[in-house]
Amino acid sequence: MAFILLLITGAAVPVNRQFRPTPGGVLVFVVSNGTHTDLVLPVYAPQTGHNWLAELNQPALTARFGHYPYVGFGWGNEGFFLGSMGGRTPGPGAMLRALLPSNTLVHASFYRTAPDSGRRVVPLRVSAAQYGRLVAHVQAALAAPDSAGRRPLRQSAGYGSADFFFGARGRYHALRTCNDWTTRSLRRAGLRAPLKSPLAAPVLWHTRRTGQKSR
């Protein structure tokens, strides 16, 4: 009961209520498929000079996606991510195992255009400093670069032709879910977010409160 109360309270309580979009700032997005949330960031942000293709340092990806404007990042349970390949739905066993500390991956998805607006897409204009903190959060989730300076690919195929799984740091469990990862990224960057949320809906609801005028 205390666990459920914690989740309900955390999802309802906003942090960084004072956040306001930065006019002319870096345009980022929080995107959901209904159960999971991603941070969608510019592949290259002129305001900061950060380039995700250079960061990932995978020449094949640079050659294929150099003209794509956005890349989405989501952190989550390795078994659940890989168990969803081919349109499959992970079984109850995989879901129960995800409640306990388990291995993780970072899912990276390249976008040919900016995400479409809709009830599961929240655009946010952020300052260069706030964007830098979002970048740092993703960097901290990715496994350390290998001896060639490349962020290691877990496997070179995802759910489609433009998404991939990278090695990750951190352990997934009931109190540290994929949506909690997104929540922490927003919170640490100074953006409005729920205090704690294992679910996608509260993340979208709180970010939308200040995001609707960010374009």
Side-chain angles (χ1 to χ4, degrees):
M1 180 61 70
F3 175 71
I4 296 174
L5 182 62
L6 170 66
L7 297 184
I8 293 174
T9 302
V13 175
V15 296
N16 300 324
R17 296 174 189 235
Q18 79 287 351
F19 167 70
R20 295 294 179 272
T22 300
V26 184
L27 180 59
V28 304
F29 300 84
V30 179
V31 176
S32 174
N33 63 4
T35 58
H36 172 87
T37 50
D38 282 346
L39 287 176
V40 179
L41 310 176
V43 169
Y44 173 72
Q47 296 94 326
T48 67
H50 187 267
N51 186 320
W52 278 110
L53 288 172
E55 172 83 37
L56 298 174
N57 195 18
Q58 290 285 342
L61 299 189
T62 300
R64 287 179 60 188
F65 301 109
H67 62 290
Y68 279 46
Y70 288 95
V71 58
F73 293 102
W75 176 93
N77 176 267
E78 179 182 53
F80 202 89
F81 270 146
L82 299 184
S84 301
M85 298 284 288
R88 298 190 303 270
T89 300
M95 295 181 185
L96 288 173
R97 286 191 294 273
L99 297 176
L100 302 174
S102 48
N103 293 334
T104 56
L105 294 173
V106 169
H107 184 227
S109 306
F110 288 91
Y111 285 71
R112 191 183 295 273
T113 61
D116 292 334
S117 60
R119 65 188 183 91
R120 292 180 177 172
V121 176
V122 181
L124 298 164
R125 287 277 183 189
V126 303
S127 70
Q130 289 166 336
Y131 183 69
R133 291 193 284 272
L134 293 176
V135 168
H137 187 79
V138 177
Q139 289 172 326
L142 290 162
D146 62 20
S147 58
R150 299 174 182 174
R151 297 285 187 172
L153 278 168
R154 169 63 170 77
Q155 62 180 52
S156 58
Y159 302 127
S161 61
D163 67 294
F164 308 88
F165 291 105
F166 284 83
R169 289 181 272 206
R171 302 284 278 174
Y172 186 103
H173 53 76
L175 288 175
R176 184 146 293 186
T177 68
C178 54
N179 296 307
D180 182 62
W181 179 83
T182 305
T183 296
R184 285 184 288 120
S185 72
L186 299 169
R187 195 173 66 227
R188 291 174 179 177
L191 314 185
R192 183 176 174 123
L195 177 64
K196 184 84 174 173
S197 181
L199 305 176
V203 181
L204 294 176
W205 190 85
H206 284 291
T207 53
R208 186 172 284 114
R209 294 292 298 274
T210 50
Q212 55 246 91
K213 296 182 180 179
S214 61
R215 283 187 181 274

